[in-house]
Amino acid sequence: MSEASPLLVVGSVALDSVRTGQGERVDALGGSASYFSLAAVRYCPVRLVAVVGADFPSGFRQLYDAQGVDTAGLQIVEGKTFRWGGVYSEDMNDRETLFTELNVFEEFHPVLPDAYRQTPIVLLANIDPVLQKEVVDQMESPQLVALDTMNFWIESRKEELVSLLTKVDLFFLNEEEARQLTGYSNTLTAAKEIMAMGPKMVVIKRGEYGSLCLTSEGWFALPAFPVENLTDPTGAGDTFAGGVLGYLSQRGGDLTDGHLRRAVAHGTAIASHTVASFSVDGLLDLGLDQIESRVRDLWDVTQFGQRP
Ligand code: AMP
């Protein structure tokens, strides 16, 4: 195996207040970049670019350090940290956003430390597409640019998002967002439509039904790995992306079909660990051996002998 390439992530670092059938957490560590980086760091060095307010608990900063995430790009400014609140339906398939308080993100402009500009793989995690573009513009010929987004930004910044897609290699979004972006309710049709907007690969996340991955060579689908102790689905998508890109970075960003399929299996496996606990708790003690063991379990339950 080649040396793992570092990954750069820009996205939200948040204090999340979440209610599910299993309980409630207030001001827990969350945000797209938190989930992503704490998943991807299982595989490779991770560089975090984000902003928090002066109210951000020092214990959460120490947690990144203890987990090995490079926080040289995490700005701490006057004001309040981004806050998001959500409540899940009984079966956890639906969620309602109760509030989105951008706070310090209103004035934030990412500035990449010089040492970060040549990072080969970058994830533009869920955040304002205007800020995502500012990061791409500061990168020096990245090998792989991946993007994630959310209904909030498709509603408020569609034009900026669509224009950014021409600079993106791999686009992660969920089924509802794909529908919202294209107007097509058929997942495969929507994925094809999105590919035509620029990305070389599109991964559509389908919650408990798994994911569908479209490349120029065709499509590939995997179910989610079912867990009985589903506790908090928040961050499943971000940790899925962390597993996918973490695995690819260990392979030097090689995007051949087999690598991509195994990368999606890793994303699926790590997401199944995240949702079994609140906040990022399911990631903190997770070893690569446990993720690989779940990838094997996923293989066991999806294969049905030799090709019929
Ligand atoms: P996911 O469950 O994968 O959609 O990710 C949920 C995470 O995204 C939560 O931890 C939130 O803090 C964060 N989040 C929610 N809304 C936004 C937004 N509009 N921009 C950036 N991050 C957000």
Side-chain angles (χ1 to χ4, degrees):
M1 198 201 306
S2 56
E3 183 105 329
S5 318
L7 279 175
L8 185 140
V9 57
V10 59
S12 57
V13 168
L15 297 176
D16 283 352
S17 295
V18 172
R19 196 164 74 239
T20 77
Q22 299 301 309
E24 188 168 8
R25 290 288 182 282
V26 175
D27 284 349
L29 181 59
S32 55
S34 301
Y35 280 106
F36 177 85
S37 56
L38 292 169
V41 79
R42 266 69 229 151
Y43 298 82
C44 61
V46 176
R47 301 163 171 178
L48 172 67
V49 175
V51 65
V52 292
D55 60 348
F56 190 64
S58 58
F60 289 163
R61 264 217 82 158
Q62 286 155 11
L63 184 147
Y64 289 127
D65 295 338
Q67 292 280 314
V69 175
D70 180 344
T71 52
L74 179 66
Q75 295 179 27
I76 304 177
V77 301
E78 278 307 308
K80 287 174 75 178
T81 300
F82 176 89
R83 277 177 170 74
W84 176 80
V87 57
Y88 286 84
S89 62
E90 191 64 32
D91 64 4
M92 305 225 203
N93 278 334
D94 293 306
R95 113 177 143 197
E96 186 192 341
T97 290
L98 298 176
F99 58 87
T100 302
E101 296 171 7
L102 294 177
N103 297 332
V104 290
F105 270 102
E106 306 251 25
E107 301 292 327
F108 174 61
H109 290 283
V111 179
L112 300 195
D114 280 346
Y116 283 13
R117 291 176 199 270
Q118 290 180 353
T119 312
I121 304 181
V122 54
L123 176 74
L124 310 169
N126 178 28
I127 194 181
D128 188 335
V130 172
L131 302 182
Q132 292 176 319
K133 178 167 184 300
E134 288 178 10
V135 169
V136 187
D137 289 346
Q138 293 174 60
M139 301 291 298
E140 289 171 19
S141 34
Q143 187 187 349
L144 175 69
V145 177
L147 174 79
D148 197 349
T149 193
M150 202 179 188
N151 51 3
F152 185 86
W153 302 115
I154 300 175
E155 265 157 46
S156 57
R157 294 260 200 258
K158 186 167 175 180
E159 208 176 298
E160 291 84 350
L161 181 69
V162 170
S163 124
L164 183 61
L165 287 179
T166 59
K167 297 175 189 286
V168 166
D169 300 294
L170 174 51
F171 185 17
F172 296 97
L173 73 173
N174 73 30
E175 212 168 23
E176 218 179 285
E177 292 152 2
R179 202 169 291 155
Q180 193 185 357
L181 187 60
T182 63
Y184 289 106
S185 54
N186 181 286
T187 307
L188 191 54
T189 309
K192 287 179 179 171
E193 189 74 11
I194 293 166
M195 281 265 282
M197 297 177 183
K200 298 187 188 76
M201 289 163 286
V202 177
V203 178
I204 300 203
K205 298 166 287 178
R206 308 178 63 223
E208 68 167 325
Y209 305 109
S211 58
L212 184 140
C213 176
L214 182 69
T215 70
S216 57
E217 292 175 46
W219 61 269
F220 158 72
L222 260 191
F225 189 84
V227 290
E228 288 189 271
N229 54 343
L230 179 57
T231 302
D232 174 14
T234 310
D238 307 306
T239 47
F240 173 88
V244 171
L245 294 182
Y247 180 88
L248 290 175
S249 76
Q250 282 196 335
R251 271 85 198 154
D254 182 333
L255 291 174
T256 47
D257 190 61
H259 276 158
L260 202 58
R261 287 177 186 228
R262 281 186 289 277
V264 169
H266 273 253
T268 303
I270 198 164
S272 73
H273 282 286
T274 307
V275 300
S277 303
F278 276 102
S279 179
V280 297
D281 294 358
L283 293 166
L284 302 182
D285 295 322
L286 192 62
L288 200 49
D289 53 334
Q290 286 166 278
I291 304 169
E292 281 165 349
S293 161
R294 186 142 297 175
V295 169
R296 282 192 291 277
D297 291 344
L298 182 66
W299 188 86
D300 286 342
V301 297
T302 50
Q303 64 94 32
F304 49 102
Q306 292 198 324
R307 187 166 191 260

